[in-house]
Amino acid sequence: MADYTTPEQRIDAALDSVLKASGSALKNYTMPGTLEKMREAMRKVILAAYIKGSNDCHDALARKNHG
């Protein structure tokens, strides 16, 4: 994935990647309500993955520092 500068660009790039894997593309979705629901779903996935990674890192560092 290319280096996108805004969170919105990263969300759209992730959505486009998933849609292309399914044989579609983000450009085929023009309904604002549909786009916002798709973006919100992707935000939730990205946030959950970020939090999991952050917590895993924290736990690994805590284990390293405490034995």
Side-chain angles (χ1 to χ4, degrees), residues 2-53:
D3 183 30
Y4 297 95
T5 58
T6 68
E8 292 80 15
Q9 288 173 321
R10 289 189 292 274
I11 288 167
D12 281 359
L15 276 173
D16 197 39
S17 177
V18 170
L19 289 167
K20 284 180 179 176
S22 71
S24 189
L26 189 60
K27 66 182 180 183
N28 297 329
Y29 293 83
T30 58
M31 298 285 293
T34 300
L35 282 168
E36 190 49 43
K37 288 176 186 175
M38 291 168 58
R39 287 174 175 139
E40 183 58 28
M42 186 57 70
R43 276 186 205 94
K44 288 179 182 180
V45 169
I46 291 170
L47 181 60
Y50 177 85
I51 290 170
K52 171 117 176 50

